[in-house]
Amino acid sequence: MTRLPLRDSLMRDAEASGALALGDLPEWDLTDLYPSPDAPELSRDLERLEKACASFAADYEGKLAGLTPAEMLDCIRRYEEIDLIAGRIMSYAGLRYYQNTTDAARAKTLGDLQAKITDMTTPLVFFSLEFNRIPEDVYQATFGAKDGPARYKPVFDRMRAMRPYQLSDELEKFLHDNSVVGAAAWNRLFDETTASLTFDVDGEELGLEATLNLLTDHDRSRREAGAKALAKVFGDNVKLFSRIHNTLAKEKAIEDKWRKMPTPQTARHLSNHVEPEVVQALRDAVVAAYPRLSHRYYRLKARWLGLDKLQVWDRNAPLPQENPRLVGWDEARQTVLDAYAGFDPELAELAQPFFEKGWIDAGVKPGKSPGAFAHPTVTDAHPYVLLNYLGKPRDVMTLAHELGHGVHQRLAAGQGELLSSTPLTLAETASVFGEMLTFRALLAKTTDPAQRKALLAGKVEDMINTVVRQIAFYDFECRLHAARAEGELTPDDINAIWMSVQHESLGDAFEFMPGYESFWTYVPHFVHSPFYVYAYAFGDGLVNALYAAYEAQPEGFQAKYFDMLRAGGSKHHSELLAPFGLDAADPAFWDKGLSMIEGFIDELEAMEA
């Protein structure tokens, strides 16, 4: 899953210290997908895909309701094979593009393949539409039969949840065909724009990634210079970003209206297989906790930094006693693998190939996509992890996070292409758990009080970024879409919404510099995955509760944990949490998770006494 570039590393630091200090940073070997963009294997798969789509439509269109259970199983397996071929092609094209989004040839390859696959798969649009018209008694009988597709039922239960919002076949095909010049085109414009932005910091020209990471520099003047450079460039481009958000929000509103979606968030909740009331309980619990979490912590941090008020460039500042150091790649690798092995050797064994087989692209390079993610590709291949690693201690946590995703994706692959994909609410579980394991291992080895304080404070800040900040982002999106429903939004309108949630979530410890109002512009999730961000808070709260269960009763926990990861998308979150005695529908569940963050802040306050 994609991760916000909140804590990525600073190119300038690595250059100053010498790139050799990091060691050999791995690059992707994409040949497990295809040898090259002009490889005959890729051409053959395109031909296979076109034939498979055409024959699937010819064999099944208009006939789904009359299929026997065995015939339905065969139909679904053929559909799954089409998904595999298309997924492999687009994974390859997408990963090559993310390695260098400013390379015109890579962008063209991605765009051309996207268009071809959209055309090829248009005949398949009938499938979900017709499937959802199968009478309920026929559906239950077909999927309940011994020789039928019973194991696939969770996938199709989720598909049938869309029945009330389904359009006519003609409109669905139009939306499918139009997608490449709709949201997908605006997404590409956003990606290419952000990748090409440059920032003048004291006469030095930096990209977005490096400039954002100045915000974690030990030198306060460098942090300030970075923040002001970001503000200037974001402000200069705010009209373009405003146009992108206006267009995408309106496009979504139009589609939601036609589908009769009750809220802009409904589609996300359906795709996540999570009830709106569960998300609301999470949101309300976090917002209610702002004063005792972020507000309290940032007042504490202002005292540590000797400031009456924090500026935005102090939010992610290191503590004064925190020793700046570069963590080499080999050390980062060993730290994470040891932490994983301390939980269970199998976890480390699952992570090992990422380092040895070209499954990680770690270095910062011109044009490379910012941030970090783990892409599952397809279940008959393996995941790939993208990092922008330049040696800051918190980059080790990012490595632990993305490897958690990768391990989860490897384990879930056994479910097959249709059932392996985990709903976003649970997709962050293994990643955040991997971070927690790494943090706890580092904390256990830290005896120096100043370093322990720095480590604890860093974890609290990461948790605030994951929980408080992401719920604030979710509120920002909710308010933006509600305001867009009333008419076109000016940049000032969007800026005002952004600042309202920043004041609420960060509290009175902050003084907000002029220009901070446009910092919404660079957040990719608002563009690529509307309302995605609550999944981070969901995942963090869930992991905090899971880790508490692990500490309380470690016996047998590992087996239950691996079973949960192997389940992929084959079970609802309530089924997956039941073996641990947890229930996300209980409002008190979220308070348990938030209490772990509160406990860390209590410990930090006690150090002041």
Side-chain angles (χ1 to χ4, degrees):
M1 307 314 300
T2 322
R3 195 171 190 212
L4 291 176
L6 297 171
R7 289 281 187 174
D8 303 312
S9 308
L10 177 59
M11 185 183 294
R12 183 184 61 83
D13 286 351
E15 291 170 346
S17 304
L20 289 176
L22 295 177
D24 292 329
L25 296 177
E27 294 188 355
W28 280 334
D29 176 2
L30 299 179
T31 57
D32 286 349
L33 298 173
Y34 294 103
S36 67
D38 56 359
E41 293 90 339
L42 178 53
S43 299
R44 281 199 295 271
D45 274 356
L46 283 166
E47 290 174 15
R48 281 177 62 210
L49 181 64
E50 187 168 26
K51 289 176 183 173
C53 290
S55 63
F56 184 90
D59 290 347
Y60 294 113
E61 188 164 11
K63 304 170 188 173
L64 291 182
L67 296 180
T68 66
E71 289 169 339
M72 181 62 81
L73 177 59
D74 185 57
C75 168
I76 290 170
R77 285 174 174 163
R78 284 176 62 180
Y79 187 84
E80 187 169 41
E81 180 63 22
I82 288 169
D83 220 27
L84 267 171
I85 301 168
R88 178 179 285 267
I89 293 168
M90 289 313 302
S91 292
Y92 176 70
L95 292 173
R96 280 189 79 247
Y97 171 72
Y98 287 127
Q99 282 183 301
N100 188 353
T101 61
T102 57
D103 182 331
R106 293 180 188 226
K108 175 176 166 51
T109 298
L110 175 64
D112 287 349
L113 287 172
Q114 209 165 31
K116 283 181 182 177
I117 288 179
T118 298
D119 289 344
M120 290 176 189
T121 55
T122 295
L124 303 183
V125 173
F126 84 90
F127 182 70
S128 61
L129 307 177
E130 188 176 320
F131 197 96
N132 282 348
R133 290 197 292 266
I134 295 174
E136 186 64 18
D137 59 337
V138 175
Y139 171 70
Q140 295 296 343
T142 302
F143 278 76
K146 287 184 180 179
D147 60 343
R151 71 175 300 268
Y152 291 99
K153 192 170 184 292
V155 177
F156 292 96
D157 282 348
R158 289 196 286 273
M159 182 188 289
R160 284 172 74 84
M162 284 294 295
R163 279 193 299 169
Y165 314 111
Q166 191 166 291
L167 301 175
S168 69
D169 291 11
E170 290 79 10
L171 274 174
E172 294 287 0
K173 287 177 180 177
F174 169 76
L175 289 172
H176 179 84
D177 285 347
N178 196 57
S179 63
V180 292
V181 292
W186 289 97
N187 283 190
R188 271 187 62 187
L189 175 62
F190 174 86
D191 289 342
E192 290 167 10
T193 301
T194 53
S196 65
L197 293 177
T198 58
F199 304 82
D200 183 348
V201 182
D202 296 332
E204 185 180 7
E205 189 176 282
L206 299 175
L208 175 60
E209 193 75 19
T211 312
L212 282 168
N213 286 290
L214 281 173
L215 302 182
T216 64
D217 200 283
H218 275 263
D219 183 343
R220 192 169 191 243
S221 65
R222 289 290 288 174
R223 297 199 304 271
E224 180 178 358
K228 289 182 174 177
L230 289 166
K232 182 182 186 309
V233 175
F234 293 158
D236 290 345
N237 290 273
V238 73
K239 287 184 179 178
L240 173 60
F241 287 114
S242 177
R243 171 59 48 222
I244 292 170
H245 281 69
N246 267 288
T247 304
L248 287 172
K250 184 62 176 177
E251 181 187 56
K252 187 179 192 313
I254 291 168
E255 186 171 334
D256 285 349
K257 182 181 76 172
W258 278 84
R259 292 190 184 282
K260 296 182 172 58
M261 293 274 185
T263 72
Q265 299 84 1
T266 298
R268 176 63 61 201
H269 300 335
L270 286 168
S271 69
N272 282 348
H273 201 38
V274 65
E275 299 76 17
E277 55 271 22
V278 171
V279 179
Q280 192 64 37
L282 163 63
R283 182 264 172 201
D284 291 348
V286 174
V287 171
Y290 284 170
R292 63 182 195 271
L293 298 181
S294 51
H295 297 186
R296 181 162 67 115
Y297 174 76
Y298 288 126
R299 283 195 290 269
L300 195 59
K301 185 167 187 176
R303 290 206 301 273
W304 294 337
L305 296 177
L307 300 168
D308 293 329
K309 290 282 187 181
L310 295 176
Q311 298 290 342
V312 295
W313 55 81
D314 298 315
R315 185 173 63 82
N316 287 328
L319 300 192
Q321 65 268 43
E322 188 175 340
N323 293 324
R325 74 181 190 95
L326 218 57
V327 181
W329 180 250
D330 289 344
E331 182 185 348
R333 163 184 170 154
Q334 206 55 50
T335 298
V336 175
L337 289 178
D338 286 351
Y340 276 27
F343 173 73
D344 192 291
E346 185 183 353
L347 200 63
E349 288 165 15
L350 285 161
Q352 192 79 36
F354 285 86
F355 296 98
E356 297 172 349
K357 297 186 176 181
W359 298 1
I360 300 177
D361 197 300
V364 173
K365 290 166 277 191
K368 183 177 173 181
S369 179
F373 63 74
H375 181 57
T377 71
V378 283
T379 52
D380 60 359
H382 56 77
Y384 283 91
V385 164
L386 180 139
L387 303 170
N388 280 276
Y389 187 89
L390 281 163
K392 284 195 174 180
R394 283 195 178 115
D395 285 351
V396 180
M397 294 298 176
T398 301
L399 173 62
H401 181 104
E402 299 306 337
L403 278 178
H405 278 309
V407 166
H408 192 175
Q409 290 158 358
R410 289 194 72 197
L411 287 168
Q415 294 288 344
E417 196 66 18
L418 293 181
L419 282 163
S420 64
S421 182
T422 308
L424 291 180
T425 42
L426 292 172
E428 295 298 329
T429 305
S431 55
V432 179
F433 198 83
E435 279 192 80
M436 182 63 79
L437 291 173
T438 304
F439 165 72
R440 293 285 189 174
L442 289 171
L443 192 66
K445 293 192 298 185
T446 304
T447 55
D448 177 74
Q451 290 308 307
R452 183 179 178 85
K453 179 179 178 180
L455 194 60
L456 266 174
K459 184 59 178 172
V460 168
E461 290 188 20
D462 285 343
M463 294 170 100
I464 287 173
N465 282 334
T466 304
V467 178
V468 170
R469 191 161 171 79
Q470 301 312 310
I471 289 300
F473 281 179
Y474 178 68
D475 272 2
F476 168 76
E477 288 188 272
C478 292
R479 295 179 198 184
L480 184 146
H481 283 260
R484 182 65 180 92
E486 302 300 317
E488 180 93 7
L489 299 176
T490 67
D492 286 345
D493 293 333
I494 304 177
N495 291 348
I497 296 170
W498 172 259
M499 290 309 299
S500 71
V501 299
Q502 295 303 302
H503 281 289
E504 290 165 16
S505 62
L506 296 178
D508 59 8
F510 278 90
E511 194 171 78
F512 295 100
M513 70 168 185
Y516 185 64
E517 64 273 7
S518 62
F519 270 50
W520 55 270
T521 54
Y522 79 92
V523 181
H525 295 71
F526 302 154
V527 174
H528 289 290
S529 308
F531 306 108
Y532 170 97
V533 287
Y534 72 73
Y536 287 117
F538 196 109
D540 199 272
L542 172 57
V543 165
N544 290 344
L546 270 178
Y547 201 88
Y550 171 49
E551 288 186 311
Q553 194 171 353
E555 186 79 24
F557 183 91
Q558 285 89 337
K560 289 187 287 187
Y561 179 72
F562 282 119
D563 284 345
M564 179 175 69
L565 300 190
R566 286 191 185 96
S570 66
K571 293 181 180 178
H572 187 265
H573 64 77
S574 58
E575 295 176 85
L576 292 172
L577 294 178
F580 303 97
L582 300 173
D583 178 10
D586 180 0
F589 169 84
W590 300 112
D591 288 326
K592 288 178 188 174
L594 295 170
S595 68
M596 181 176 285
I597 309 175
E598 199 169 358
F600 288 154
I601 300 173
D602 290 343
E603 186 174 346
L604 286 167
E605 282 187 332
M607 290 178 179
E608 297 291 290

